[in-house]
Amino acid sequence: AQRVTQPEKLLSVFKGAPVELKCNYSYSGSPELFWYVQYSRQRLQLLLRHISRESIKGFTADLNKGETSFHLKKPFAQEEDSAMYYCALMARQAGTALIFGKGTTLSVSS
Amino acid sequence: GAGVSQSPSNKVTEKGKDVELRCDPISGHTALYWYRQSLGQGLEFLIYFQGNSAPDKSGLPSDRFSAERTGGSVSTLTIQRTQQEDSAVYLCASSLVRTDTQYFGPGTRLTVL
C-alpha cells in the first residue's frame, strides 16, 4: 500500500537555525514526491516537487530511494517559514491522486 | 487568472441533514480532486475526476458521500445524513492533467452540530 509518514506533528526552532522536516514513503514503484505548504489563513500551495530539483524559498528536498525518504531542509529558518507542511506522494503507475502525510507544523521563533 | 473557488466558505448544519459543497476549478484543468482536512488526520483523499473517465471514488469514507462533475467543469460533493464526524475542511484542487501540479481552493469548513 502507498503511504506517506511525517513523524513530527510539530517542529519548533529558533530563527537562523537549520530545519529538517522528515518524510518517509512506502511505494514499490517509481514515486514522485512533493512538498506542499499552508501558511496561516492561506490556501494550500505547492512548495516543491522532486523532479524539478529546485530550491524554493531556500528549501530543498532530495529523494533518497534507498531510505525511501524525501526530507525537506533549509539551512537558516526564518519566522515567515512558520506554516503547516505536507509531504505527498504520486504513484504514477497506479494512476491515483496524491497521497498526503498528516503534516508537520513548523514554528520559527525569534 | 482566477484560481480554484469553493462555496460556501463555511457551512453549519444539523446532524442528519444533507449538504452540498461546490467547487469551480481553474478553466481548462481536466483533473479535479476532493480532499478532507481534519485535525490530526491531515489531508485525506476522497475522490478524483479525470476528463471524461470514470471517477476514482476509492477514498470516499461511506456511501453517504458522493460527487459529480458536470460538463467537465464544476463539481459538487454531496454528503447525505451528515454525522458529527463529517465535520472538517473540505478542499478541492484541480490540475491541468493528473500528473501536473495541483492548485487548491480555499476550502469549505463544515460543522455538523
Side-chain angles (χ1 to χ4, degrees):
Chain A
Q2 301 144 29
R3 186 181 298 121
V4 175
T5 303
Q6 294 179 252
E8 303 137 329
K9 283 188 179 179
L10 172 65
L11 184 62
S12 296
V13 301
F14 287 107
K15 177 181 171 182
V19 170
E20 183 179 53
L21 298 167
K22 292 188 176 2
C23 172
N24 288 89
Y25 67 90
S26 173
Y27 178 54
S28 57
S30 184
E32 185 166 352
L33 277 299
F34 303 76
W35 277 98
Y36 277 79
V37 61
Q38 189 168 29
Y39 300 101
S40 179
R41 287 185 288 278
Q42 292 188 29
R43 60 183 70 188
L44 196 63
Q45 58 187 287
L46 177 70
L47 180 62
L48 54 82
R49 57 193 299 178
H50 90 270
I51 60 170
S52 301
R53 303 187 67 82
E54 294 175 302
S55 173
I56 307 293
K57 300 186 179 183
F59 284 97
T60 59
D62 291 317
L63 178 61
N64 185 323
K65 291 188 178 180
E67 296 182 358
T68 59
S69 68
F70 188 57
H71 303 326
L72 183 68
K73 300 177 184 178
K74 185 169 182 176
F76 307 104
Q78 304 297 314
E79 288 182 78
E80 55 265 30
D81 296 330
S82 296
M84 173 72 92
Y85 291 80
Y86 291 97
C87 182
L89 162 74
M90 178 181 290
R92 284 182 168 268
Q93 293 90 334
T96 57
L98 283 175
I99 298 162
F100 284 86
K102 293 190 176 182
T104 298
T105 300
L106 175 63
S107 176
V108 182
S109 54
S110 56
Chain B
V4 177
S5 61
Q6 293 185 245
S7 60
S9 55
N10 278 287
K11 176 72 177 178
V12 180
T13 190
E14 293 179 348
K15 178 182 170 181
K17 295 283 177 76
D18 297 351
V19 295
E20 282 189 356
L21 312 180
R22 178 188 167 105
C23 171
D24 281 88
I26 294 172
S27 177
H29 280 193
T30 65
L32 185 147
Y33 314 79
W34 283 98
Y35 297 90
R36 181 166 68 176
Q37 186 179 33
S38 45
L39 206 59
Q41 296 301 314
L43 274 162
E44 177 188 9
F45 163 70
L46 297 176
I47 185 170
Y48 114 86
F49 299 86
Q50 172 62 67
N52 296 320
S53 303
D56 177 354
K57 304 180 182 179
S58 59
L60 295 178
S62 78
D63 57 8
R64 295 187 295 105
F65 288 73
S66 63
E68 61 177 24
R69 187 178 186 192
T70 53
S73 182
V74 171
S75 177
T76 303
L77 177 70
T78 302
I79 309 174
Q80 296 178 309
R81 305 181 302 281
T82 51
Q83 304 294 312
Q84 288 182 332
E85 60 262 29
D86 299 334
S87 295
V89 176
Y90 289 82
L91 293 175
C92 175
S94 72
S95 62
L96 199 58
V97 293
R98 183 184 72 84
T99 53
D100 198 15
T101 298
Q102 293 185 25
Y103 295 87
F104 282 80
T108 294
R109 182 174 296 277
L110 174 66
T111 303
V112 182
L113 301 177

